[in-house]
Amino acid sequence: MTIEEHVALECPYCRDTIHRPLSWFKQPYFTCPACGGGLTENQFAPIVQDLEQAFEQTIDEMVQSKPACGCCKKNAE
Ligand SMILES: [Zn+2]
């Protein structure tokens, strides 16, 4: 199972918000869809790591606390 969470990170050049799957920000080189500026994974590595940890914790919690009824126990967090 791969994590394809969409995240919104700020482009360091144009300050526009880039909405892309987390894995997109882990490419060695990519360009900002708004300004075309060249970006590398290193520029986002600290944020991506934080987000990945947060996602892992969320998944752990989902696995550990299985609600009795899967259709109506959704936590709006
Ligand atoms: Zn940009």
Side-chain angles (χ1 to χ4, degrees):
M1 187 174 121
T2 49
I3 303 171
E4 280 292 52
E5 295 279 354
H6 274 65
V7 294
L9 300 183
E10 195 180 77
C11 170
Y13 302 116
C14 65
R15 297 295 171 100
D16 208 346
T17 307
I18 309 170
H19 290 269
R20 283 290 186 275
L22 189 61
S23 57
W24 191 80
F25 292 96
K26 292 165 76 177
Q27 299 173 95
Y29 181 82
F30 50 98
T31 54
C32 169
C35 69
L39 302 162
T40 68
E41 61 177 336
N42 290 335
Q43 285 172 279
F44 293 96
I47 307 166
V48 167
Q49 273 179 11
D50 276 359
L51 289 168
E52 280 188 324
Q53 270 186 1
F55 288 144
E56 272 170 32
Q57 277 177 7
T58 308
I59 292 166
D60 279 353
E61 279 167 24
M62 284 195 296
V63 171
Q64 280 166 17
S65 59
K66 279 189 181 166
C69 172
C71 64
C72 56
K73 290 254 181 179
K74 207 157 193 182
N75 261 332
E77 216 171 33

